[in-house]
């Protein structure tokens, strides 16, 4: 039958892949037109066409329904003995389907495969060429897969989630493919944020939020060429509230391990991680925080005042049911345990979040210390910060005073250093003269002075010279003026930073504030790091410096000004102690101030 086209019973096959990397392949109508032209060119009779098969399915893997049931099965049953298609890669892009086609030829069931490029007859060379073309198609797929994975991995490494951005964000198409980042959708971003606000209020169920999004906010999905521009479905609203992308992270499947991981994104977060966690608690969903991501304010800083073990922290979530008004522990709970109302459909509920600190009891399981809420520790820290709180008006006076005092000391130090240099020069000349005298006496037999007396004089001069040089070195290595001023700024700004800061910022302040933090009987004991006690002492001497007192503006109030003038010498002594403090003690305050001023300004 080889070469005789009129004796063939043919199945026409057209395939269009739905996969992204094959979207440029000829469409199904184009393939039909090409096959029709091929039939006319080869004079194929309409009666020779047994069936026309069409499907939209990738050939990367075996398992195509139409291919297996209407093509392979019917050829194997002898109902047809030839296949006509646009190109060999329409039939197979994987090894199993290619082997199936070649095997049908080997057993005499499949006589020919007719394509626009060539006809593959049941001959060794044609079967080889068929397998080669299908194998080439598989190689192209494999290479494309590798390149796509490489491109996606590179994008993930840069902090950008591949794929379509969630509602409220847009893919930046102004850049080249692979370099596109994710920007804010100026129209939808504030509306999606409003949905989160409604959820976090605890007053609305998800279904109510969906209705508000549609009727009140007019929120619609992004309009594309083929779809979009529609109201949000209930499932999409749930998807939004489950999407970590909104707090700055996104889920991504690790191609090496196959595990889904959370990756830090470079896009602008819409909510904080705490708000996301709060939302999951409202919905009653299990919440698994990112490994090592949850930072408590004081873990790792405090020890138990009774047994000396470390103090740890844990979250507690409680909900006041919007229906029965009863309070219950709501972490990972989907329904109210009393009235059985679903957390999703519960409106008017109030979600409470607490952080409790307690002894780990690892050193003594019998430790009697009870837990304390984070608010209690915050109050203790704020009380200590108040002890060193310098108001802005006094801060300027103190900085000016420190700067002036430092200038005076540098001028005096310069004079003393010049005097010391002269004394060192004189001593070196005397020492050199003594050495020359000793050498001469060694040659003349010690006629003018005893040898012991000359050597003792040389040792005295060497000792005196060493002391002068050592004193000069100490004078050069004084305290740091910039670090001292940063310490004063810390005392002025830290209360505000602590009150308004994040959990991580509060922890940094508590760590810098003092050492030996111990918790006993729900009271926090803090030993202020030096030189903070000097600043606390200044406030004890002049309480007005913590209330915005400004000496230059009080010239008309003679009595008050005189009162402050009397305190200035004691204040300057403490300020001088701060200024001359060892640089290693001032450095933590200076580092924190530089970091915080950059963030808050």
């Amino acid at each position: 039958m080889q070469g005789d086209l009129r004796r063939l019973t043919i199945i026409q096959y057209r395939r269009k892949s739905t996969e992204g990397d094959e979207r440029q392949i000829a469409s199904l109508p184009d393939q039909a037109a090409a096959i029709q032209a091929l039939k006319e060119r080869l004079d194929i009779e309409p009666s020779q066409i047994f069936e026309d098969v069409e499907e939209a399915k990738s050939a990367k893997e075996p398992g195509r329904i139409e291919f297996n049931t209407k093509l392979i099965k019917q050829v194997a049953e002898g109902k047809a003995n030839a296949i006509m298609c646009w190109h060999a890669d329409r039939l197979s892009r994987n090894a199993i389907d290619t082997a199936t086609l070649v095997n049908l030829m080997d057993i005499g069931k499949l006589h020919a495969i007719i394509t626009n490029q060539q006809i593959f007859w049941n001959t060794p060379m044609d079967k080889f060429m068929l397998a080669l073309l299908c194998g080439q198609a598989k190689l192209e797929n494999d290479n494309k897969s590798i390149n796509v994975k490489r491109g996606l991995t590179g994008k993930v490494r840069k902090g950008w989630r591949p794929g379509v951005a969630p509602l409220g964000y847009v893919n930046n198409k102004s850049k080249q493919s692979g370099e596109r980042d994710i920007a804010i959708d100026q129209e939808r971003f504030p509306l999606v944020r409003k949905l989160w606000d409604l959820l976090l209020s605890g007053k609305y169920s998800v279904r109510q939020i969906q209705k508000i999004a549609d009727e009140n906010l007019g929120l619609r999905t992004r309009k594309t060429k083929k779809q979009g521009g529609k109201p949000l479905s209930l499932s999409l609203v749930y998807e939004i509230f489950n999407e970590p992308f909104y707090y700055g992270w996104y889920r991504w499947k690790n191609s090496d391990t196959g595990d889904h991981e959370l990756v830090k994104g470079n896009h602008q977060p819409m909510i904080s991680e705490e708000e996301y966690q709060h939302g999951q608690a409202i919905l009653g969903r299990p919440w698994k925080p990112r490994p090592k991501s949850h930072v408590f304010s004081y873990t790792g800083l405090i020890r138990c005042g009774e047994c000396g073990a470390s103090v740890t922290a844990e979250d507690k979530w409680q909900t006041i049911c919007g229906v029965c008004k009863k309070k219950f522990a709501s972490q990972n709970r989907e329904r109210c345990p009393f009235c059985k109302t679903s957390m999703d459909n519960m409106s008017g509920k109030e979600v409470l979040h607490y952080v409790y600190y307690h002894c780990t009891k690892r050193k003594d399981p019998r430790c009697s210390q009870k837990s304390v809420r984070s608010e209690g520790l915050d109050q203790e820290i704020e009380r200590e910060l108040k002890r060193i709180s310098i108001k802005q008006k006094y801060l300027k006076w103190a900085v000016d005073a420190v700067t002036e005092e430092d200038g005076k000391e540098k001028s005096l130090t310069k004079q003393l250093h010049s005097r010391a240099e002269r004394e060192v020069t004189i001593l070196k000349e005397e020492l050199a003269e003594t050495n020359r005298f000793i050498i001469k006496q060694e040659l003349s037999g010690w006629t003018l002075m005893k040898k012991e007396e000359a050597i003792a004089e040389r040792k005295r001069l060497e000792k005196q010279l060493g002391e002068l040089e050592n004193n000069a070195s100490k004078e050069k290595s004084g305290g740091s003026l910039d670090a001292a001023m940063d310490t004063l700024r810390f005392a002025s700004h830290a209360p505000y930073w602590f009150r308004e800061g994040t959990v991580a910022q509060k922890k940094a302040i508590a760590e810098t504030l003092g050492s030996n933090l111990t918790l006993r009987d729900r009271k926090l004991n803090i030993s202020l790091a030096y030189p903070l006690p000097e600043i606390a002492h200044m406030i004890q001497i002049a309480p007005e410096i913590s209330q915005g007192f400004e000496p230059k503006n009080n010239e008309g109030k003679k009595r008050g000004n005189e009162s402050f003038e009397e305190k200035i010498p004691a204040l300057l002594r403490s300020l001088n102690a701060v200024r001359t403090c060892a640089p290693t003690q001032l450095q933590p305050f200076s580092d924190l101030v530089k970091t915080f001023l950059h963030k808050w300004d």
Side-chain angles (χ1 to χ4, degrees):
M1 190 178 289
Q2 180 178 336
D4 190 354
L5 293 174
R6 294 185 181 279
R7 299 179 63 184
L8 296 176
T9 302
I10 303 170
I11 296 178
Q12 294 180 175
Y13 181 76
R14 299 185 306 279
R15 179 183 66 81
K16 173 69 172 74
S17 175
T18 57
E19 301 295 332
D21 59 1
E22 293 187 40
R23 287 177 182 170
Q24 302 303 318
I25 299 298
S27 66
L28 296 176
D30 292 337
Q31 293 180 46
I35 291 174
Q36 182 61 34
L38 178 61
K39 288 190 295 183
E40 293 174 359
R41 178 162 54 87
L42 298 177
D43 294 328
I44 303 294
E45 297 291 337
S47 60
Q48 290 181 254
I49 305 302
F50 175 77
E51 189 167 356
D52 185 34
V53 179
E54 174 182 298
E55 69 179 331
K57 181 70 175 177
S58 172
K60 292 179 181 178
E61 298 177 355
R64 287 170 286 160
I65 297 176
E66 298 292 318
F67 177 81
N68 289 331
T69 60
K70 294 184 179 181
L71 194 150
I72 297 298
K73 182 179 180 181
Q74 297 191 110
V75 170
E77 292 175 352
K79 296 179 181 179
N81 57 16
I83 300 171
M84 181 178 286
C85 62
W86 175 67
H87 192 281
D89 64 8
R90 299 299 86 201
L91 293 174
S92 174
R93 284 178 174 266
N94 67 84
I96 293 178
D97 287 341
T98 301
T100 301
L101 292 170
V102 174
N103 182 64
L104 287 174
M105 286 185 165
D106 288 340
I107 63 178
K109 296 288 186 178
L110 182 59
H111 296 165
I113 295 177
I114 307 168
T115 71
N116 280 52
Q117 293 74 32
Q118 73 178 88
I119 300 176
F120 300 93
W121 295 99
N122 190 3
T123 65
M125 181 55 67
D126 283 357
K127 288 187 288 186
F128 171 75
M129 290 303 297
L130 174 67
L132 183 63
L133 288 174
C134 293
Q136 185 178 7
K138 173 174 170 52
L139 177 63
E140 291 175 358
N141 275 341
D142 291 345
N143 285 335
K144 286 178 182 178
S145 177
I146 292 173
N147 292 335
V148 168
K149 287 182 179 178
R150 184 187 299 116
L152 294 179
T153 301
K155 195 168 185 179
V156 170
R157 191 182 300 114
K158 294 176 183 178
W160 301 110
R161 190 187 83 161
V164 180
L167 192 67
Y169 295 86
V170 292
N171 298 92
N172 188 352
K173 295 185 178 180
S174 63
K175 297 184 178 180
Q176 294 182 352
S177 179
E179 298 294 329
R180 294 172 180 169
D181 52 18
I182 298 176
I184 288 176
D185 185 339
Q186 298 296 337
E187 177 185 351
R188 295 174 179 83
F189 187 90
L191 299 181
V192 177
R193 171 68 224 202
K194 180 64 177 178
L195 300 188
W196 278 101
D197 291 336
L198 294 173
L199 174 71
L200 295 173
S201 71
K203 299 178 181 179
Y204 304 91
S205 66
V206 179
R207 191 172 294 277
Q208 289 174 322
I209 294 175
Q210 178 205 15
K211 186 176 181 181
I212 293 173
D214 180 20
E215 299 178 0
N216 297 69
L217 302 178
L219 181 57
R220 299 290 184 268
T221 57
R222 282 195 306 271
K223 181 68 176 176
T224 62
K225 292 181 180 179
K226 296 183 179 180
Q227 59 184 0
K230 298 180 179 180
L232 275 59
S233 64
L234 185 63
S235 62
L236 179 55
V237 178
Y238 273 109
E239 184 179 330
I240 289 172
F241 292 147
N242 188 46
E243 178 56 70
F245 187 91
Y246 291 102
Y247 76 85
W249 292 70
Y250 60 88
R251 298 185 182 94
W252 180 250
K253 185 176 181 180
N254 189 315
S255 58
D256 296 328
T257 64
D259 298 330
H260 284 84
E261 303 174 350
L262 278 177
V263 181
K264 180 73 171 69
N266 280 337
H267 60 281
Q268 179 178 330
M270 181 181 292
I271 59 174
S272 66
E273 184 173 353
E274 289 74 18
E275 287 175 319
Y276 179 82
Q277 182 180 2
H278 193 177
Q280 303 314 296
I282 289 175
L283 296 174
R285 290 174 177 168
W287 161 247
K288 294 181 180 180
R290 293 180 287 107
K292 300 181 181 179
S293 67
H294 195 88
V295 179
F296 292 104
S297 299
Y298 311 119
T299 51
L301 302 180
I302 306 175
R303 292 202 166 271
C304 175
E306 179 178 331
C307 68
S310 59
V311 171
T312 188
E314 60 179 327
D315 284 305
K316 293 292 184 181
W317 293 90
Q318 292 181 320
T319 297
I320 300 176
C321 179
V323 179
C324 66
K325 305 302 179 183
K326 292 185 179 180
K327 185 166 66 173
F328 58 92
S330 56
Q331 201 161 8
N332 300 335
R333 191 186 293 273
E334 297 181 355
R335 295 180 178 275
C336 172
F338 302 103
C339 66
K340 308 303 180 184
T341 303
S342 170
M343 296 283 284
D344 289 352
N345 299 324
M346 185 188 298
S347 60
K349 58 179 173 286
E350 182 180 357
V351 178
L352 309 174
H353 176 223
Y354 305 105
V355 176
Y356 284 91
Y357 289 83
H358 59 83
C359 175
T360 58
K361 301 186 179 182
R362 290 179 179 175
K363 291 189 175 181
D364 185 0
R366 298 169 298 176
C367 180
S368 63
Q369 294 301 307
K370 297 181 180 180
S371 61
V372 58
R373 278 172 46 181
S374 59
E375 292 84 355
L377 297 182
D378 288 346
Q379 291 174 1
E380 297 285 346
I381 299 290
E382 288 176 357
R383 189 177 298 113
E384 289 299 317
L385 290 173
K386 189 175 181 181
R387 289 180 55 202
I388 61 167
S389 176
I390 301 176
K391 297 303 179 181
Q392 284 291 323
K393 291 183 179 181
Y394 176 73
L395 175 63
K396 185 179 183 305
W397 179 88
V399 168
D400 290 344
V402 167
T403 304
E404 182 180 355
E405 188 66 23
D406 188 74
K408 292 178 180 179
E409 183 169 306
K410 284 182 178 179
S411 177
L412 178 60
T413 301
K414 187 176 181 180
Q415 295 176 9
L416 295 175
H417 184 65
S418 298
R419 182 187 302 172
E421 284 183 339
R422 290 194 298 270
E423 292 180 1
V424 167
T425 301
I426 294 172
L427 278 174
K428 285 182 177 180
E429 291 176 354
E430 292 182 6
L431 184 60
E433 183 63 30
T434 302
N435 286 330
R436 287 193 293 270
F437 176 78
I438 292 175
I439 293 172
K440 289 181 180 179
Q441 290 298 303
E442 285 284 356
L443 295 175
S444 62
W446 293 98
T447 58
L448 299 178
M449 180 185 289
K450 292 183 179 179
K451 181 177 181 179
E452 292 77 7
E453 294 176 351
I455 293 176
E457 177 64 14
R458 182 173 66 181
K459 288 183 178 179
R460 184 187 69 80
L461 292 174
E462 288 175 344
K463 181 180 179 181
Q464 191 175 353
L465 178 62
E467 291 175 351
L468 279 175
E469 291 178 338
N470 186 44
N471 290 336
S473 175
K474 288 182 179 180
E475 289 173 359
K476 290 182 180 179
S477 60
S480 170
L481 177 61
D482 290 340
M485 291 191 293
D486 283 341
T487 303
L488 294 172
R489 293 188 183 100
F490 172 84
S492 176
H493 292 87
Y496 173 75
W497 288 338
F498 185 84
R499 186 171 61 252
E500 303 295 333
T502 64
V503 171
Q505 289 168 339
K506 286 185 176 181
K507 185 167 188 174
I509 292 173
E511 190 172 15
T512 307
L513 179 64
S515 59
N516 299 325
L517 277 69
T518 57
L519 184 63
R520 187 182 181 93
D521 299 330
R522 297 179 176 175
K523 298 292 183 182
L524 185 65
N525 179 57
I526 304 174
S527 298
L528 290 177
Y530 196 81
L532 295 183
E534 295 289 349
I535 299 176
H537 180 62
M538 286 191 289
I539 295 175
Q540 289 180 343
I541 295 173
E544 59 266 38
I545 67 177
S546 65
Q547 299 172 10
F549 181 78
E550 188 171 10
K552 293 182 180 180
N553 291 344
N554 284 341
E555 294 178 358
K557 299 179 181 180
K558 186 174 181 180
R559 183 176 300 176
N561 195 44
E562 288 177 349
S563 176
F564 183 79
E565 291 291 342
E566 293 174 357
K567 301 172 183 177
I568 284 180
L571 293 175
L572 289 177
R573 284 194 292 271
S574 291
L575 281 175
N576 192 53
V578 174
R579 181 181 62 82
T580 57
C581 186
T584 54
Q585 291 178 300
L586 297 176
Q587 197 60 46
F589 303 104
S590 184
D591 292 341
L592 195 65
V593 166
K594 287 180 173 61
T595 300
F596 275 41
L597 283 179
H598 173 72
K599 289 183 178 180
W600 287 85
D601 294 349

